[in-house]
Amino acid sequence: MKITLARASRRILPAVLGVTVVAGCGGSGGSTAAKGPATPPVASATAPTLAAASTPPAPSPSPTASGADDPALKSFYGQQISWASCPADPQDQNADLSAFQCGTAHVPLDYANPGADTIDIALIRKPAVHQDQKLGSLFFNPGGPGGSGVEFLGETAADEFKALNDRYDLIGFDPRGVGRSTAVHCLDDADRDKLNAQDHATATTMKDFESGCAADSGKLLPFVGTVNAARDLDVLRGVMGDQKLNYLGFSYGTYLGTVYADEFPGRTGRLVLDGAMDPSLDPLTADVQQQIGFEGVFERFASDCVKQSDCPLGSDAGAAAQKAADFLDSLQAHPLTSAKDGRTLTSAEAWTGALGMLYGSAKDWDYLRIGLTRAMKQHSPDLMLALADNYNGRDQNGHYSNEADANTAINCADDGAPTPTDDQLQQALQQLQSKAPYLNRRVTIDDLRVGNDCSAFPAHAAPPHAITAAGSAPILVVGSTGDDATPYAWAQHLASSLANATLLTRDGDGHTGYDKSSCVQSAVNGFLLNGTMPAAGTHCSTDLTS
């Protein structure tokens, strides 16, 4: 199962390793490591775009969430979706989409002014197998922010969620700003290529990125945050005819689910949050904690590599991580050029490809080991470039999804923390270089400063804070002890902060638990299908290969 990975960072530069890589994970790229087929566009093949505003509008004061009780929103909750067959994906003619339906919903651009502009939300549905026993709709979010729920459900529903599909209509959607919905666009493919290849951030690069967002999506930018996405989700709940929201969110999708529960506690049904984010953390702190987690899994990968006959890192487990980091860093001065197409593998892209594989299971480590072997021994960058493309959402024709653009725009809209001071940046740099040295040896305070400045974006949420969602139905939080993308401590803190939540623990490496443990699947399915919450303190082992 392909989860679009949590990226707490607001950064646009995946090369700056003092922070979390933010470009899209496992998108529609043509990498040999890509998991699952690409999925279809919705019935309206081209997502609408809002005309760019010469000066982005200031967001209206955030209204109290009233949802269906607001007469001004009645037409949105009462709309009918024109479901149609999902068109075949031209990049994967063998994908069987006959069981899916696609459609489009309309929501206000600004919930404080719902009579003005509207935007489109792309949907995909797989109807319940047993309609006479249907429990309602089950909504999914795969993470990001910026991950396509339409793509995710089309790729995974038939295999991963078969038991749930017996009694639920499975619903995927692209949140506002994402994919086939009204989408954020900031960079063209050529500029995105240049950005992804850069080894260090510059203030000019960030300004160019922000200018591109404002020029192409200025009217949308003030309204792409997660609070508005949660309000969209409540509209979708009402449109589907459900009195309560049933929801399975992964990675960033846990934050969307948490915000929904906070906005609409009385409308929560059965919510599962797997790979939990902690809304009380500011982005810089979250970045540091993620990097420390990645450092650990990088070392575990290197130790595992030396046990394999084709490992390019030698046979000394104690020196393997150092050797891998030395090679990846050396590409700053000595990048590799592909004999196939002339593309250059920089240190930034090599690290992106490596970190992308560290999110997953041992199977993903195999891809990384082979990629490093080809780059270090054969001087061929092609597989490492493919791994980076897979993470960055770049397909084999050099076209990018909008995931990275949406990721930065949504993260900046969600970020209510003050811009870090130089003292805070210096403290963060010292932590990174002492606790995650392999990943951060060449990171500078300027890298951190540029990457942590969202001041030019037009909207910002409330400061980070713990969310209680008082009055919600019981919520199941899933955390994994070896999850480097969303550390286990985040799941522990979220579960303890929510007024009505239970923590389910998976013991083992890798991001999220549902696709790695039959025990987790059984517990989650039991809760969603029967309302049976696992006992507090339950631990599950890792026994599945994702």
Side-chain angles (χ1 to χ4, degrees), residues 163-196:
L164 297 171
N165 193 208
D166 281 347
R167 300 189 64 193
Y168 279 109
D169 289 345
L170 306 184
I171 308 292
F173 64 100
D174 286 359
R176 58 172 57 209
V178 175
R180 298 160 179 85
S181 295
T182 305
V184 171
H185 295 285
C186 302
L187 298 178
D188 61 24
D189 293 337
D191 287 337
R192 176 59 64 184
D193 271 345
K194 293 177 184 176
L195 184 63
N196 289 340

Side-chain angles (χ1 to χ4, degrees), residues 66-77 108 110-116:
S66 55
D69 297 331
D70 185 346
L73 297 176
K74 184 176 180 180
S75 63
F76 294 101
Y77 279 86
D110 179 3
Y111 277 89
N113 189 14

Side-chain angles (χ1 to χ4, degrees), residues 245-272:
L245 177 75
N246 300 308
Y247 176 83
L248 177 51
F250 299 97
S251 203
Y252 160 81
T254 67
Y255 180 59
L256 175 58
T258 301
V259 172
Y260 180 92
D262 196 44
E263 292 279 308
F264 304 100
R267 295 176 197 151
T268 53
R270 298 169 183 173
L271 271 62
V272 179

Side-chain angles (χ1 to χ4, degrees), residues 310-314 323 327 372-380:
D310 59 345
C311 179
L313 306 178
K323 188 170 183 178
F327 170 74
L372 287 174
T373 297
R374 293 181 183 178
M376 296 173 70
K377 300 295 186 182
Q378 303 168 20
H379 307 293
S380 171

